[in-house]
Amino acid sequence: MPRLSEVIAELDALWPPQRAEQWDAVGTVCGDPDAEVTRVLFAVDPVQEIADEAVALGADLIVTHHPLYLRGTTTVAAGHFKGRVVHTLIKHDVALHVAHTNADTADPGVSDALAGALDLRVTGPLVPENNLGRICELDHPETLAAFAARAAKRLPATAQGIRVAGDPDMTVRRVAVSGGSGDSLFDAVRAAGVDAFLTADLRHHPVSEAIQHSPLGLVDAAHWATEWPWCELAAAQLDEISDRHGWDLRVHVSKTVTDPWSSHHTSSGAPN
């Protein structure tokens, strides 16, 4: 069985930590470098539900996309929910490793996985300077409404579902995709000349301005749903590494929905 340090070295080769944004917090959060690893769990969020799932599964390592301590901390006391996660992991000898913006800009990375989940053909990066986002083509043109339905069918179900801005009958041939929050990329999307943009966390003002600026179709999915396909891609990459080294790792992808929005919807009233 490989040691944790050996597995982490391979993960760092897939997603070099030096490619992470300066504000990011990637890498190993906890874990003994000399501990043996037999089972690995991939997930989007390092929350208590995932820590408990790893313990029940008998995993030695969790790899998440989102950091546990993005803004740093002065305590890991178990009275705080993040500290409780750390206590759970250390108590059960489970390591935690994070690949965030270094996985966003990897090739293949988060947006490649998103494109793959939607069965889109990637033609290049949306932002070539840092390899962020992807420009894609559909095999056959379809309406914006049909493209949104494709996203709803192929991405994991969440309370938010899929929101659409733009003419539902417009024809979509070329699209841009970006896993996670993407409304900072509108300039690059317009420059790419695509018909539609699929991402997450689209805010009112950027969307309002974008649809006034051009006939761009916008498809807004839940943040968690756009990044979860990366877990399957990353797990497949580690499986290949395990096979190559003869490690015989057992690699799993969490199906636990850690999207923070609940399934309860309340209709809002008409404005006065």
Side-chain angles (χ1 to χ4, degrees), residues 31-268:
D32 180 352
D34 292 325
E36 287 188 345
V37 176
T38 61
R39 195 181 296 267
V40 183
L41 177 66
F42 283 85
V44 175
D45 297 299
V47 293
Q48 189 65 43
E49 295 94 324
I50 299 301
D52 292 341
E53 181 179 349
V55 171
L57 186 65
D60 310 292
L61 169 63
I62 302 172
V63 180
T64 65
H65 183 50
H66 290 152
L68 179 63
Y69 288 110
L70 184 58
R71 292 175 176 82
T73 187
T74 59
T75 177
V76 293
H80 187 270
F81 73 94
K82 293 190 176 185
R84 190 165 68 253
V85 169
V86 174
H87 276 252
T88 300
L89 298 179
I90 292 177
K91 189 179 298 184
H92 294 89
D93 296 319
V94 183
L96 172 62
H97 186 79
V98 174
H100 191 210
T101 52
N102 50 328
D104 288 333
T105 58
D107 186 9
V110 172
S111 293
D112 295 286
L114 175 57
L118 298 174
D119 199 23
L120 304 174
R121 181 165 59 86
V122 174
T123 61
L126 175 61
V127 186
E129 306 91 84
N130 58 7
N131 201 40
L132 190 63
R134 293 293 182 265
I135 298 172
C136 310
E137 292 183 352
L138 282 67
D139 287 338
H140 305 285
E142 60 189 30
T143 65
L144 178 62
F147 179 66
R150 174 200 294 244
K153 179 180 179 181
R154 301 192 182 193
L155 294 180
T158 61
Q160 172 186 313
I162 302 294
R163 301 189 299 178
V164 180
D167 180 1
D169 295 322
M170 68 176 289
T171 300
V172 174
R173 297 180 178 85
R174 297 179 71 242
V175 301
V177 302
S178 181
S181 304
D183 61 19
S184 64
L185 301 175
F186 275 133
D187 287 344
V189 170
R190 282 191 285 266
V194 296
D195 304 306
F197 179 37
L198 185 148
T199 188
D201 296 341
L202 291 179
R203 295 169 295 164
H204 174 88
H205 291 297
V207 169
S208 179
E209 292 173 2
I211 62 176
Q212 295 297 322
H213 191 281
S214 67
L216 179 69
L218 299 176
V219 181
D220 182 42
H223 189 119
W224 174 84
T226 64
E227 294 181 332
W228 184 85
W230 171 79
C231 295
E232 291 196 319
L233 169 64
Q237 290 176 295
L238 183 56
D239 265 332
E240 189 277 328
I241 291 168
S242 174
D243 290 344
R244 181 166 14 107
H245 289 295
W247 285 348
D248 196 29
L249 290 177
R250 292 179 288 281
V251 182
H252 306 263
V253 175
S254 174
K255 301 297 195 298
T256 302
V257 178
T258 55
D259 181 79
W261 297 102
S262 75
S263 59
H264 179 71
H265 285 271
T266 301
S267 298
S268 58

